Amino acid sequence: MGGNGNAGGRSPRCIALVGPQGSGKTSLFEAILARAGATPEGAEARKTVGDTSPEAKNHGMSVESNVASFEYLGDRFTALDFPGSIEFQFDGTAALPACDTAVVVCEADEKKLYALQSVLKSLEAAKIPHFLFINKIDKAGGNIAELLSTMQPASGLPLVLRQVPIQEGGAVSGFVDLALERAFVYRPHAPSELIDIPNDLAQFEAEQRFSMLEKLADYDDALMEQLLSDSVPSRDQIFADLVTEFKRCQICPVFFGSAEAGHGIGRLLKALRHESPFVTETAERLGLGAAKSAAYVVKTIQTSHAGKLSLARVLAGQFADGGAVYSASGEERISGVFSVSGPDIKKRGPAEAGEVAAFGKLEGVHTGEAISGEKGFAAPVDPVQPPKPVYALAIAVGDRKDEIKLTSALAKLIDEDPALSLHQDRETGEMVLWGQGEMHLRVALEKLARRFGVKAETRRRQIPYRETIRKSVEVRGRHKKQSGGHGQFGDVLVEIRPQPRGEGFAFTEVVTGGAVPRNYFGAVEAGVRDYLSGGPLGFPVVDVAVTLKDGSYHTVDSSDQAFRLAGRLAMVEGMPKCQPVLLEPVAAVSISVPTEATAKVNGMISARRGQILGFDARPGWTAWDTIEAHIPEAEIHDLIIELRSATAGAGHFKAEFDHLIELSGRVADQIVAERSQQRSA
C-alpha cells in the first residue's frame, strides 16, 4: 500500500496480530503505527485506525480485521489486526496463510491460557513463524521465568525468552535484551533509553541468556559444542540462529511490554524488521514459489461506493487496474486498485510483490482464495474453510416485499464473512441465519440495519420434529360426490403399520380380482403421501408402511383424483388410531474443552437431556478432553453460550444430526400444543 517498488530492495512484509480476546492486540496495533510515525504518538491517538466501526465501538471489541501500512527504518510493513473472540476468529484464520509473521499478543493471565493454546496450535499447524508478546507487563507481577514456565504447556514450540524485566518498586521499568546483552529503561510513548545492566540483575540475566542459548543449541550442533566447551558464541552467530530457527518454526521467541504505555514497541519492531521472512518465503510455504503472478485474498469488503473489494496480499508479480485475474471461478478484470488503512480506502497504482491492496469488482473471487494474472493458473491449495456453525436464529422482515432486500444484504455479509451462512428451511418456511455465537449474529444484524437499511426480526428456529406410529390398523377411505354430470368415486381399504426406525415410507398393494384397477394404484399412493406432510400431531410422518388391500370403483365416476382423495381420507381416518408418537431429532456432538472443565460440561450435557458416550484426551493437546455425546437438537440452541462461559471462551463443539428418538410426556405435550397453535394462527 502506499507507493510502488521496494524500499531498499526489501519487499514489504505482512504482519498478523493475533491472540485471545482482551489481550490488547488493537492497542498494540495502534502503538506500532504511532512508533513508526504513521499516526500521532500518545494515548490521544488511540483508536484512530483500529476498531473504528460502530459495531466495534458499541461492543468494545474487535469484530473484524483492522488493516494499516507503515514504514520503520526504511522497511515497509502491512499490519493486520485480527479479532480475538472465537466468534470472529475466522476473519483472521482465512487471512493468516498470506502473512509472513504473526505476533501473538497475550497477558500474564492463567485464565486465558487455553484460548492462547488454541491460537498457537493454529499457527503451528500452518507453520507460520510467530513471536509471543506478553502485553500489560506493567501490571504483571512475579518472576518472568516462572511465568514462561506456566505458559509453555500452551505452546508446541519451545518458548525462548528474549528479554528479562528490570523492576523498580515492584513495577517493570525496563528490560535487558538477552541477545544484545544491553539494558534499556522505558520512556512513555517514546524509544527506550540505553543504560548499564543493573548489578542485582546480572546473574539472573546470565542464567536466562544461557537458557536461551541451550534452546537454540537443540537445533544447532555447533552451538551445542561451544556451550559444552564453555566457548562464547559471537553475537552474529546467536542472531543467525535466532533468525533461522524462528523462520523454520522451531522456536517461539518471547518479548514483553505495554501497548498502552508504548513500552517494548521499538524492540518488537526491530525483531520484525530483522527476523521476519520475506514474501518469497511465504509464497514457498503456500506452494506458490514458482508462480510468476499470484496473490492471496485475505478479506472481502463490501463498500457503498466502490462495491466489492478483494483485499489481497501480492505474493508474486504485479496487479494493476484493468488487468486480467484468473481464479477458480474463471477470468475477471480488476476494476480499480485501492489502498486500505483503517476506514480509509483510496485509489492507488499497481500493487507489487509483498504489498497488500484491494482489487475492485472481482465478483467471483472469495476470501481465502489464491488468484493470478497467469492464464490457466491452478492454486495448489484449497481455500480455507469456515468452521461449522454453532448458533442459529430464524430471521425475517416485517414486510414480505423486503425479503429480496434481506437476502441480497445477507449474501453480501456472508461474502464478507463466510463464517455466517443462510439456510432456507423448506419444511418450516423459515430463513435461518447460522454463525459462531450470539455476538456474531448480533453484530451481523447490526450491520444489516446500519449498512443496508434492513431491520430484521429474529426468533429461535423451529426444530424439525417428526412423528410416527406404534400400532397397525386397517381402515377404509371412501370419496363419493355427485353434483350433476360425472360424479367422483374412489373406495380403498388400506393397512397402516409402523416401520423400523429409519426405514422411511413404503407403499405396496395386494389387491385381487380387480377391486381397484391397477391404473389407480399410483393415485392412491399419491393421496397417502399428501397426508404424510402433517400427521395427527402436526409433524411430517416417517417410518410408516401402507398396503392397499381392497376397494371398489365405478366405471364412470372413478378417476385418479377420486382415488387420490380416497387414499388421503383413509390416512386421515386411520392415523389417529395408530398410537402416533412424536420423534425428536438427536445430534451427535463432539465437545472439546480444557480438562478442568470436563466435569462441568458433563453436567451440562445431562441437564440438556443428553447422553454421554465417553470422553478421551484430545490428541495433540495438553490438558484438553474431547467429549462425545448425543444431545437433542432442541437443547443445543444456546449450548455454545454456556460452554464458552464455562471455559473462558475456549471450548467449542461440532454437531451433526444422528437419529430420531421417541419423545413423550410433558415436553412432548408442550411441543404438540405449540404446533397446534401455529397451525391455527
Side-chain angles (χ1 to χ4, degrees):
M1 321 214 334
N4 300 322
N6 294 335
R10 293 156 67 92
S11 62
R13 256 79 64 89
C14 185
I15 309 303
L17 300 181
V18 297
Q21 183 179 348
S23 55
K25 293 177 300 301
T26 303
S27 295
L28 181 61
F29 176 71
E30 296 282 1
I32 285 173
L33 294 177
R35 184 58 51 85
T39 60
E41 188 89 57
E44 69 279 358
R46 294 175 64 213
K47 304 292 184 185
T48 57
V49 180
D51 289 352
T52 57
S53 73
E55 293 78 27
K57 291 178 178 177
N58 289 345
H59 299 293
M61 61 185 288
S62 297
V63 297
E64 57 197 355
S65 302
N66 298 306
V67 186
S69 294
F70 62 92
E71 283 196 21
Y72 184 71
L73 300 180
D75 281 11
R76 291 191 294 144
F77 296 85
T78 295
L80 299 175
D81 166 34
F82 296 132
S85 166
I86 195 170
E87 298 190 26
F88 301 96
Q89 271 184 2
F90 185 70
D91 210 45
T93 303
L96 270 172
C99 297
D100 303 316
T101 303
V103 178
V104 184
V105 188
C106 66
E107 298 174 73
D109 184 351
E110 288 188 36
K111 294 178 183 176
K112 294 186 177 181
L113 277 180
Y114 296 113
L116 173 63
Q117 187 176 7
S118 296
V119 174
L120 292 173
K121 279 286 183 184
S122 64
L123 292 169
E124 290 160 13
K127 299 190 181 303
I128 298 170
H130 51 280
F131 297 109
L132 193 64
F133 183 82
I134 303 174
N135 194 19
K136 308 177 187 179
I137 194 67
D138 47 347
K139 300 173 184 176
N143 184 303
I144 189 71
E146 291 177 359
L147 173 61
L148 214 64
S149 177
T150 301
M151 300 177 83
Q152 181 61 69
S155 174
L157 305 181
L159 297 180
V160 177
L161 190 63
R162 296 283 299 272
Q163 303 166 293
V164 293
I166 299 172
Q167 299 193 12
E168 287 184 18
V172 177
S173 59
F175 65 92
V176 179
D177 188 298
L178 296 178
L180 290 171
E181 290 189 289
R182 291 177 181 172
F184 299 84
V185 291
Y186 293 137
R187 293 289 178 259
H189 305 290
S192 302
E193 288 186 13
L194 179 66
I195 62 169
D196 292 331
I197 297 176
N199 292 331
D200 60 351
L201 201 59
Q203 183 177 346
F204 181 68
E205 182 273 337
E207 291 171 355
Q208 293 306 311
R209 187 172 194 270
F210 188 77
S211 175
M212 177 187 78
L213 295 177
E214 281 187 315
K215 290 179 180 178
L216 295 179
D218 286 340
Y219 305 97
D220 183 343
D221 292 340
L223 178 58
M224 179 63 78
E225 288 181 16
Q226 284 180 286
L227 295 181
L228 291 173
S229 61
D230 293 328
S231 299
V232 180
S234 69
R235 187 176 295 169
D236 287 346
Q237 181 185 351
I238 292 170
F239 269 108
D241 270 8
L242 284 168
V243 172
T244 299
E245 293 173 20
F246 173 69
K247 288 183 176 183
R248 290 177 178 172
C249 282
Q250 293 171 324
I251 59 170
C252 175
V254 180
F255 296 91
F256 56 75
S258 169
E260 207 168 84
H263 295 161
I265 308 305
R267 184 65 197 90
L268 177 63
L269 278 168
K270 288 176 182 176
L272 290 170
R273 180 173 182 262
H274 291 293
E275 300 173 35
S276 290
F278 285 93
V279 67
T280 51
E281 295 162 277
T282 300
E284 288 283 354
R285 169 164 51 80
L286 291 173
L288 293 166
K292 295 178 181 177
S293 169
Y296 183 100
V297 180
V298 298
K299 184 176 175 64
T300 299
I301 307 169
Q302 296 284 351
T303 70
S304 54
H305 302 298
K308 177 177 176 176
L309 297 179
S310 299
L311 188 70
R313 174 88 191 286
V314 180
L315 300 169
Q318 183 190 82
F319 289 77
D321 188 7
V325 165
Y326 300 90
S327 68
S329 61
E331 179 185 354
E332 295 182 80
R333 290 199 174 269
I334 296 172
S335 178
V337 180
F338 302 84
S339 65
V340 178
S341 181
D344 298 327
I345 298 174
K346 297 177 181 178
K347 207 152 191 184
R348 55 155 289 168
E352 308 278 352
E355 294 183 321
V356 175
F359 304 140
K361 306 291 179 65
L362 300 180
E363 300 299 339
V365 172
H366 303 290
T367 299
E369 278 191 60
I371 59 176
S372 176
E374 298 178 69
K375 193 169 186 178
F377 170 78
V381 291
D382 294 327
V384 179
Q385 295 302 311
K388 296 284 187 182
V390 293
Y391 187 78
L393 289 171
I395 184 169
V397 284
D399 194 330
R400 289 188 66 86
K401 70 175 186 290
D402 289 333
E403 283 188 359
I404 294 176
K405 189 177 180 183
L406 171 64
T407 54
S408 174
L410 284 172
K412 290 180 179 179
L413 282 185
I414 292 167
D415 197 23
E416 277 192 345
D417 181 4
L420 292 168
S421 58
L422 189 66
H423 170 68
Q424 183 77 46
D425 193 310
R426 293 181 181 178
E427 178 187 326
T428 65
E430 291 180 324
M431 273 197 296
V432 181
L433 182 64
W434 286 88
Q436 302 306 310
E438 183 184 30
M439 182 62 73
H440 191 210
L441 294 196
R442 186 185 303 175
V443 168
L445 293 169
E446 290 172 5
K447 288 181 178 179
L448 271 180
R450 177 178 65 87
R451 293 171 52 186
F452 303 101
V454 178
K455 291 187 177 180
E457 301 168 355
T458 60
R459 62 178 181 272
R460 189 165 174 166
R461 74 179 182 99
Q462 295 181 43
I463 300 299
Y465 292 101
R466 297 288 184 265
E467 60 179 275
T468 191
I469 56 175
R470 292 172 171 164
K471 178 183 174 183
S472 299
V473 298
E474 198 171 90
V475 63
R476 183 172 293 277
R478 173 179 287 216
H479 176 69
K480 183 177 182 182
K481 188 174 182 181
Q482 194 73 41
S483 57
H486 285 306
Q488 296 181 36
F489 182 83
D491 175 38
V492 296
L493 178 70
V494 299
E495 180 188 28
I496 308 169
R497 63 184 185 278
Q499 288 250 83
R501 191 73 63 244
E503 288 295 311
F505 170 71
F507 180 85
T508 55
E509 50 78 21
V510 292
V511 177
T512 58
V516 176
R518 180 172 295 277
N519 57 299
Y520 293 136
F521 290 172
V524 176
E525 180 179 354
V528 170
R529 287 184 180 275
D530 288 344
Y531 176 84
L532 297 178
S533 61
L537 306 181
F539 297 95
V541 179
V542 296
D543 300 336
V544 167
V546 175
T547 300
L548 175 61
K549 303 183 75 173
D550 201 0
S552 60
Y553 74 103
H554 190 279
T555 54
V556 176
D557 292 343
S558 288
S559 64
D560 282 344
Q561 181 63 16
F563 272 99
R564 183 169 187 158
L565 289 170
R568 179 177 175 82
L569 285 170
M571 297 298 288
V572 170
E573 177 72 21
M575 281 291 290
K577 302 173 182 177
C578 294
Q579 293 183 4
V581 61
L582 191 66
L583 293 177
E584 179 174 47
V586 175
V589 184
S590 181
I591 306 175
S592 293
V593 295
T595 300
E596 64 184 35
T598 298
K600 189 182 294 184
V601 173
N602 285 343
M604 197 184 300
I605 294 169
S606 298
R608 291 172 180 268
R609 300 188 288 118
Q611 177 188 5
I612 299 169
L613 304 177
F615 69 92
D616 206 344
R618 187 178 183 185
W621 288 64
T622 303
W624 277 69
D625 288 333
T626 297
I627 305 162
E628 305 293 342
H630 283 156
I631 305 177
E633 284 189 16
E635 301 287 348
I636 295 178
H637 170 69
D638 59 353
L639 173 62
I640 193 63
I641 299 172
E642 189 178 3
L643 181 62
R644 286 180 179 150
S645 175
T647 60
H652 60 276
F653 73 85
K654 296 177 182 178
E656 289 187 359
F657 170 77
D658 190 79
H659 63 280
L660 294 167
I661 191 170
E662 289 188 12
L663 181 64
S664 58
R666 182 179 58 82
V667 176
D669 293 342
Q670 184 178 347
I671 292 167
V672 172
E674 289 174 357
R675 183 68 163 193
S676 180
Q677 289 178 358
Q678 291 170 1
R679 298 175 80 183
S680 60

